[in-house]
Amino acid sequence: MEDVVIRTLEKVDLRDPILVEGLPGVGNVGKLAADYLRDQLGAKPLATIHSKFFPPQVYVNESGIIRLVSNELAYWKAPAGGGGRDLLVLGGDYQGISPEGQYEITERVLAFCAELGVREVYTLAGFAQGRVVETPRVLGAATVAARVEAMKKFGVVFSRDDPGGGLIGASGLFLGLGRIFGMEGVCLMGETSGYFVDPRSAEAVLKVLGKVLKVEIDFTALEAKAHEIDRIAQKIHEAEQRSAEPGAAPAASREDLGYIG
Amino acid sequence: MEDVVIRTLEKVDLRDPILVEGLPGVGNVGKLAADYLRDQLGAKPLATIHSKFFPPQVYVNESGIIRLVSNELAYWKAPAGGGGRDLLVLGGDYQGISPEGQYEITERVLAFCAELGVREVYTLAGFAQGRVVETPRVLGAATVAARVEAMKKFGVVFSRDDPGGGLIGASGLFLGLGRIFGMEGVCLMGETSGYFVDPRSAEAVLKVLGKVLKVEIDFTALEAKAHEIDRIAQKIHEAEQRSAEPGAAPAASREDLGYIG
Amino acid sequence: MEDVVIRTLEKVDLRDPILVEGLPGVGNVGKLAADYLRDQLGAKPLATIHSKFFPPQVYVNESGIIRLVSNELAYWKAPAGGGGRDLLVLGGDYQGISPEGQYEITERVLAFCAELGVREVYTLAGFAQGRVVETPRVLGAATVAARVEAMKKFGVVFSRDDPGGGLIGASGLFLGLGRIFGMEGVCLMGETSGYFVDPRSAEAVLKVLGKVLKVEIDFTALEAKAHEIDRIAQKIHEAEQRSAEPGAAPAASREDLGYIG
Amino acid sequence: MEDVVIRTLEKVDLRDPILVEGLPGVGNVGKLAADYLRDQLGAKPLATIHSKFFPPQVYVNESGIIRLVSNELAYWKAPAGGGGRDLLVLGGDYQGISPEGQYEITERVLAFCAELGVREVYTLAGFAQGRVVETPRVLGAATVAARVEAMKKFGVVFSRDDPGGGLIGASGLFLGLGRIFGMEGVCLMGETSGYFVDPRSAEAVLKVLGKVLKVEIDFTALEAKAHEIDRIAQKIHEAEQRSAEPGAAPAASREDLGYIG
């Protein structure tokens, strides 16, 4: 089979579209943000991406229906007459599971997006601080100096030390390989502990992105999710303290945080 | 060499054939079931599948004759005039030993089966419960809702929680990739402990499949195998209890259970 | 680059040639035997095989000259008028270092040999018994029953239990894939402890092969090597016993046995 | 995507050019030497090499600008009328991260260099002695005896025992595969402890290479770097001695040595 199989569900004509990428990773920040953006905008499925560089796996939903693991491109058309630009949102179940797979999948998706007219990319990710982060900042990296300056105006932090060793995985590669396709772009990284799924960090990232892209996003549902995670984390914390006492039983487990990884 | 080499042994013309897949896996349930079905029906060898994604290994039989590890497709023609459909049964020594290999082999076998007219697939597998299962249920997953409903009538259980993380390996992939070839299908999973080879679980799976496919299967030999496993397991259990006593020697070892995978 | 690169050093015309394979493996028996056969016959270099499935490594000889790791085919022409058949001997530094590499290299070498007219293959290997073997037997496996019977007459042992799990690596694969090229063959396995390089086992294998191929082999040098290994092993044994006593120092180390793996 | 992507930045016409390779490895000696040579000569960027056999990674510089990991070829034109030969210097972030990747990248770069007229290669590396090396010698290995003799005149040591097991990685492979392209060459290995980055060993290597290539190199900056490493190593040594005393705190950590590996 082909290394990467892209099945187009619809033929679309997009106006100077911008690609937004958010796949599973640290704190699942990128995936949470991209999926939320897609859902809030009501972006429509455009293409399904399968690859032998994903795990050989199907998911089974509550009704017993299987679905092969994939990445998905959705599109959103800006309101007519508003002068806005259309969006492509890339989300999915996995990043490529080998270095080679990362390159192959990214390159094929970029080639597909280049055909659709994409010249600008935003990649969304988490940045693990290894400690609890009360108010996550949004760190940035960009393909050119002009974009660094532009992002600073939106409050994005460009730190001399973070990320020290560079970016590993899709969020870096979409920018690095994107340049070969003549695309410029920015990686927005929400600070997170790295210990569990972090909707609050995803919200910080999306707030910046919303301003940059000039799209309105209602954060109610994402905030509810963040509170739910807070609540579970609090319960675990209390349970762990109680379990220091004799005869204690856990009220919630770390698995309830549903950390994907 | 080609990634996957399919050598056809015979040219056949099949009537709306159904593919049944059963390869080594949890409790070896899928392989036991598919091999037993093939033997009971007297299905004939149709094609041998070699691949560089199998281990570089030959088996040596009791006479000293070697055989390269492979998968095998066998065919069975339904009795003429009965209006029944023909079957293809896929069994073998191994699943692909890398994620990439799983995809490559599955895709090539599906392409071959599509050429033969297959539009319907049943995959057979074990589902590890991590505890002794006295009366194994048959759990299901399917490509479309209509098949979920159809299977429920045969006693197949579609559980909200099982399999939670989805299916990994050939039994999921034949359904997931099968959809790309326009095939619909069902995965039948026999509950099993996951600790040893489980003919009783294979029997449960085959009883459902026999009704679905409307083929008669004599379970005498499979039940004898199940009793043999029970007998060995019982001996091990007794030996382990005795070995708690001083001066005890084992009467049988876990290796007698011949657990493959 | 090509997966496997075969560079022919000479153009030869061979008379119904037989391929003898012996690569590094258990006790290095196969490689010792094949290299010794090549040297004793004065077989000439025919082709060098490089592959990206070998380690990215060069060896440096005592003069400081590098050589890229490789496999090597040598040829030997039977004395004219004697009615004998020519030989090809395959030896080298490594087997392919991945399952996929094993298949690719074996397939390409077989294709090359098929072009030269090879229809018969002997693969040489060690069989690890996990204990000291005073007088190594030669175990066999073959592609067809007739060859099993033929080999028994030369004292080759076809045991119901050995090798139980089949053969893994080049010695099995050259027979298993060889069948696809219409070749028949035999694997000759010298019993060995599996703990160190075993020239005595290689000698047992070669004695059988010499009779089968009707070639005279002088074993003086191989026996000297075997005595040398015996001597080192004895020293280690003594040193290990002494080191049980207080104040002892080792006279030789296990590394002197130069076990390759 | 292609396994290896070479993007040429400029079209050049070189006079009998010599390739100098120095990539990350033991003590980072090769990379330090090649990068220093390039900088001192003011060699100009010629081509950028990307590959799916590198990690899927981008680096972020102090200004927040990303750069996809790569290897880089730079060229230096010898002064006109001096009769000297031009140079190509290969450096970069990584060697290929799999054996297959090592072969693929090396082969493609050699093919590219062969097009530019390269017939001679010098590879630079470190040789780990596992102990502190006060005055590093430069060990050698070469493709032909004449070059061994030529190098001895420059003080290069060809030792019967070093490197015993051969050379693994790019420095060996560029010579081993280079022969297939009709190139001859030498590997120059600076002795180093193997425990940290070693500019002093790189200097020893470059001093030999400068004489061989008849290029003037100013070592001031490299010696400053060596002193800096010495200073940090000394601090660590003192700190470790103090930490044997009660109540001690480290003044510097081994990480300050920035060992890449």
Side-chain angles (χ1 to χ4, degrees):
Chain A
M1 66 183 288
E2 278 183 279
D3 289 352
V4 182
V5 177
I6 300 183
R7 300 169 71 206
T8 309
L9 308 171
E10 193 182 335
K11 191 160 160 40
V12 291
D13 195 19
L14 300 174
R15 188 171 37 180
D16 197 8
I18 295 168
L19 173 63
V20 177
E21 174 272 344
L23 289 167
V26 175
N28 234 19
V29 173
K31 176 173 170 57
L32 282 173
D35 287 358
Y36 193 79
L37 177 68
R38 180 200 62 207
D39 292 348
Q40 287 297 317
L41 293 178
K44 293 192 188 115
L46 175 62
T48 304
I49 299 140
H50 295 121
S51 173
K52 65 185 187 188
F53 296 116
F54 291 142
Q57 183 180 0
V58 296
Y59 284 115
V60 185
N61 73 9
E62 293 181 7
S63 309
I65 309 293
I66 64 105
R67 178 179 66 75
L68 186 57
V69 297
S70 64
N71 285 358
E72 310 283 340
L73 265 178
Y75 72 95
W76 174 77
K77 291 188 85 70
R85 294 166 63 185
D86 296 341
L87 295 182
L88 284 164
V89 183
L90 178 71
D93 304 307
Y94 284 100
Q95 297 193 22
I97 56 174
S98 68
E100 186 180 346
Q102 290 265 16
Y103 275 93
E104 290 287 358
I105 294 167
T106 303
E107 199 263 356
R108 285 278 285 123
V109 172
L110 284 168
F112 182 85
C113 290
E115 285 283 317
L116 291 168
V118 170
R119 289 175 302 173
E120 190 172 354
V121 184
Y122 290 84
T123 66
L124 314 182
F127 184 77
Q129 291 289 21
R131 54 178 170 76
V132 171
V133 177
E134 294 290 342
T135 311
R137 297 178 301 166
V138 176
L139 307 177
T143 54
V144 285
R147 287 183 183 267
V148 172
E149 294 314 310
M151 286 300 116
K152 282 179 180 169
K153 289 172 194 153
F154 292 100
V156 177
V157 177
F158 290 81
S159 157
R160 182 174 166 156
D161 298 321
D162 294 332
L167 310 174
I168 294 176
S171 285
L173 212 49
F174 268 87
L175 299 185
L177 283 177
R179 299 216 68 191
I180 297 177
F181 288 90
M183 300 175 190
E184 300 295 346
V186 173
C187 179
L188 299 174
M189 291 162 276
E191 287 185 310
T192 183
S193 67
Y195 303 142
F196 38 83
V197 168
D198 193 346
R200 206 173 302 280
S201 181
E203 184 181 348
V205 166
L206 268 189
K207 280 190 169 155
V208 169
L209 186 67
K211 286 177 205 157
V212 172
L213 301 180
K214 297 191 192 98
V215 293
E216 291 284 328
I217 304 168
D218 175 352
F219 288 102
T220 314
L222 195 55
E223 278 165 8
K225 202 166 192 172
H227 286 126
E228 175 70 5
I229 297 282
D230 287 349
R231 202 182 53 76
I232 297 171
Q234 180 61 22
K235 272 196 187 171
I236 291 169
H237 181 67
E238 288 169 15
E240 285 174 348
Q241 290 205 315
R242 269 202 307 281
S243 72
E245 304 163 22
S253 86
R254 288 195 174 275
E255 282 173 15
D256 290 323
L257 291 170
Y259 183 39
I260 295 174
Chain B
M1 64 183 289
E2 279 182 278
D3 289 352
V4 181
V5 177
I6 300 182
R7 300 169 70 206
T8 309
L9 309 172
E10 194 182 334
K11 191 161 160 38
V12 290
D13 195 19
L14 300 175
R15 188 170 37 178
D16 198 8
I18 295 168
L19 173 63
V20 177
E21 175 271 344
L23 289 167
V26 176
N28 233 19
V29 174
K31 176 173 169 57
L32 282 173
D35 288 357
Y36 193 80
L37 177 69
R38 180 199 63 207
D39 293 347
Q40 287 297 318
L41 292 179
K44 293 191 187 116
L46 174 62
T48 303
I49 299 141
H50 295 121
S51 172
K52 65 185 187 189
F53 296 117
F54 291 142
Q57 183 180 2
V58 296
Y59 284 115
V60 185
N61 73 9
E62 293 181 6
S63 308
I65 310 293
I66 63 104
R67 178 178 67 74
L68 185 58
V69 298
S70 64
N71 285 358
E72 310 283 339
L73 264 178
Y75 72 95
W76 173 77
K77 291 188 85 71
R85 293 165 64 185
D86 297 341
L87 295 183
L88 285 163
V89 183
L90 178 72
D93 303 308
Y94 284 99
Q95 298 192 21
I97 56 173
S98 66
E100 185 180 345
Q102 289 265 15
Y103 275 94
E104 289 288 358
I105 294 168
T106 302
E107 199 263 356
R108 285 277 284 122
V109 172
L110 284 169
F112 182 85
C113 290
E115 284 283 316
L116 291 168
V118 170
R119 288 176 301 173
E120 190 171 353
V121 184
Y122 290 84
T123 66
L124 314 183
F127 184 77
Q129 291 289 21
R131 54 175 171 78
V132 172
V133 177
E134 292 291 342
T135 311
R137 297 178 302 165
V138 176
L139 307 177
T143 54
V144 285
R147 286 183 183 268
V148 172
E149 294 314 309
M151 286 300 116
K152 282 179 180 169
K153 288 172 193 153
F154 292 100
V156 178
V157 176
F158 290 82
S159 156
R160 181 174 168 156
D161 297 321
D162 293 331
L167 310 174
I168 294 175
S171 285
L173 212 49
F174 267 88
L175 300 186
L177 283 177
R179 299 215 69 191
I180 297 177
F181 288 90
M183 299 176 192
E184 300 296 347
V186 173
C187 178
L188 300 174
M189 292 162 276
E191 287 185 310
T192 182
S193 69
Y195 302 142
F196 38 83
V197 168
D198 193 346
R200 207 174 302 281
S201 181
E203 185 181 346
V205 166
L206 268 189
K207 279 191 170 155
V208 168
L209 186 67
K211 285 178 207 156
V212 172
L213 301 180
K214 297 192 192 98
V215 293
E216 290 284 329
I217 303 169
D218 176 353
F219 287 103
T220 314
L222 195 56
E223 278 165 8
K225 202 166 191 171
H227 285 125
E228 175 70 4
I229 296 283
D230 287 349
R231 203 182 53 76
I232 297 171
Q234 180 61 22
K235 273 197 185 169
I236 292 169
H237 182 68
E238 289 169 15
E240 285 175 348
Q241 291 206 313
R242 270 202 307 280
S243 74
E245 305 163 22
S253 87
R254 287 194 176 276
E255 283 174 14
D256 291 322
L257 291 172
Y259 182 40
I260 297 173
Chain C
M1 66 184 287
E2 279 182 278
D3 289 352
V4 181
V5 176
I6 301 182
R7 299 169 71 206
T8 309
L9 309 171
E10 195 182 333
K11 190 161 159 37
V12 291
D13 195 20
L14 300 174
R15 189 170 36 179
D16 197 8
I18 294 168
L19 173 63
V20 177
E21 174 271 345
L23 289 168
V26 176
N28 233 18
V29 173
K31 176 174 170 58
L32 282 174
D35 287 358
Y36 194 79
L37 177 68
R38 180 199 63 207
D39 293 347
Q40 286 297 317
L41 293 178
K44 294 192 188 115
L46 175 61
T48 303
I49 299 140
H50 295 121
S51 173
K52 65 185 186 187
F53 297 117
F54 291 142
Q57 183 180 1
V58 296
Y59 283 115
V60 185
N61 75 9
E62 294 180 5
S63 308
I65 310 293
I66 63 104
R67 178 179 66 75
L68 185 58
V69 298
S70 64
N71 285 358
E72 309 284 339
L73 264 179
Y75 73 95
W76 174 77
K77 291 188 83 71
R85 294 164 63 184
D86 296 341
L87 294 183
L88 285 164
V89 183
L90 177 72
D93 302 308
Y94 284 99
Q95 297 192 21
I97 56 173
S98 68
E100 186 179 345
Q102 289 266 15
Y103 274 94
E104 290 287 0
I105 294 167
T106 302
E107 200 263 356
R108 285 278 285 123
V109 172
L110 284 169
F112 182 85
C113 290
E115 285 283 317
L116 291 168
V118 170
R119 290 174 301 173
E120 190 171 354
V121 184
Y122 290 84
T123 66
L124 313 182
F127 184 77
Q129 290 290 20
R131 54 178 169 77
V132 172
V133 176
E134 292 290 343
T135 311
R137 296 179 301 166
V138 176
L139 307 177
T143 53
V144 285
R147 286 181 184 268
V148 172
E149 294 314 310
M151 286 300 115
K152 282 180 179 168
K153 288 173 192 151
F154 292 100
V156 178
V157 177
F158 290 81
S159 156
R160 180 174 168 156
D161 297 321
D162 294 332
L167 310 174
I168 294 175
S171 285
L173 212 49
F174 268 88
L175 299 187
L177 283 177
R179 300 215 69 192
I180 296 177
F181 288 91
M183 300 175 190
E184 300 295 347
V186 173
C187 179
L188 299 174
M189 291 162 276
E191 287 185 310
T192 182
S193 68
Y195 301 142
F196 38 83
V197 168
D198 193 346
R200 207 174 300 282
S201 181
E203 185 182 345
V205 165
L206 267 189
K207 279 191 170 154
V208 168
L209 186 67
K211 285 178 206 156
V212 172
L213 301 180
K214 297 193 192 96
V215 293
E216 290 284 327
I217 304 169
D218 175 353
F219 287 103
T220 314
L222 195 56
E223 278 164 7
K225 202 167 192 172
H227 285 126
E228 176 69 3
I229 296 284
D230 287 349
R231 202 181 54 76
I232 297 170
Q234 179 62 22
K235 273 196 185 170
I236 292 169
H237 181 69
E238 289 169 16
E240 285 176 348
Q241 291 206 314
R242 269 201 306 281
S243 74
E245 304 162 21
S253 85
R254 288 194 175 275
E255 283 174 15
D256 290 322
L257 290 172
Y259 182 39
I260 296 173
Chain D
M1 66 183 287
E2 279 183 278
D3 289 352
V4 182
V5 176
I6 301 183
R7 300 168 71 206
T8 309
L9 308 172
E10 194 182 333
K11 190 162 161 38
V12 290
D13 194 20
L14 300 175
R15 187 169 38 179
D16 198 8
I18 294 167
L19 173 63
V20 177
E21 173 271 344
L23 289 167
V26 176
N28 233 19
V29 173
K31 175 172 171 57
L32 282 173
D35 287 359
Y36 193 80
L37 177 68
R38 179 200 61 207
D39 292 346
Q40 287 296 317
L41 293 178
K44 293 190 189 117
L46 175 62
T48 303
I49 299 140
H50 294 121
S51 173
K52 65 184 186 189
F53 296 116
F54 291 143
Q57 184 180 359
V58 296
Y59 284 115
V60 184
N61 74 8
E62 294 180 5
S63 309
I65 309 293
I66 64 104
R67 179 179 65 75
L68 185 57
V69 297
S70 65
N71 285 358
E72 309 283 340
L73 264 178
Y75 73 94
W76 175 77
K77 292 188 84 70
R85 295 165 62 184
D86 296 342
L87 294 183
L88 285 164
V89 183
L90 177 72
D93 303 308
Y94 284 100
Q95 297 192 22
I97 55 173
S98 67
E100 185 180 346
Q102 290 266 14
Y103 274 94
E104 290 287 359
I105 293 167
T106 303
E107 200 263 356
R108 285 277 284 123
V109 172
L110 283 169
F112 182 85
C113 291
E115 284 284 316
L116 292 169
V118 170
R119 289 175 302 173
E120 191 172 353
V121 184
Y122 290 84
T123 67
L124 314 181
F127 184 78
Q129 290 290 21
R131 53 177 171 77
V132 172
V133 177
E134 293 290 343
T135 312
R137 298 178 300 166
V138 176
L139 308 177
T143 54
V144 285
R147 286 181 183 269
V148 171
E149 294 315 309
M151 286 301 116
K152 282 179 180 170
K153 288 172 192 151
F154 292 100
V156 178
V157 177
F158 289 82
S159 156
R160 182 176 166 154
D161 297 321
D162 293 333
L167 310 174
I168 294 175
S171 285
L173 212 49
F174 268 89
L175 299 186
L177 283 177
R179 300 216 68 192
I180 296 177
F181 287 91
M183 299 176 191
E184 300 296 346
V186 173
C187 178
L188 299 174
M189 292 162 275
E191 287 185 310
T192 183
S193 67
Y195 302 143
F196 38 83
V197 167
D198 192 345
R200 207 174 302 281
S201 181
E203 184 181 347
V205 166
L206 267 190
K207 279 191 170 155
V208 169
L209 186 67
K211 287 178 204 156
V212 172
L213 301 180
K214 297 192 192 96
V215 293
E216 290 284 327
I217 304 169
D218 175 353
F219 287 103
T220 314
L222 195 56
E223 278 165 7
K225 201 166 193 173
H227 285 125
E228 175 70 5
I229 296 284
D230 287 349
R231 203 181 53 74
I232 297 171
Q234 180 62 22
K235 273 196 185 170
I236 291 169
H237 181 68
E238 288 170 16
E240 285 176 348
Q241 291 207 314
R242 270 201 307 279
S243 73
E245 304 162 22
S253 85
R254 287 193 176 275
E255 283 174 15
D256 290 322
L257 291 172
Y259 182 40
I260 297 173

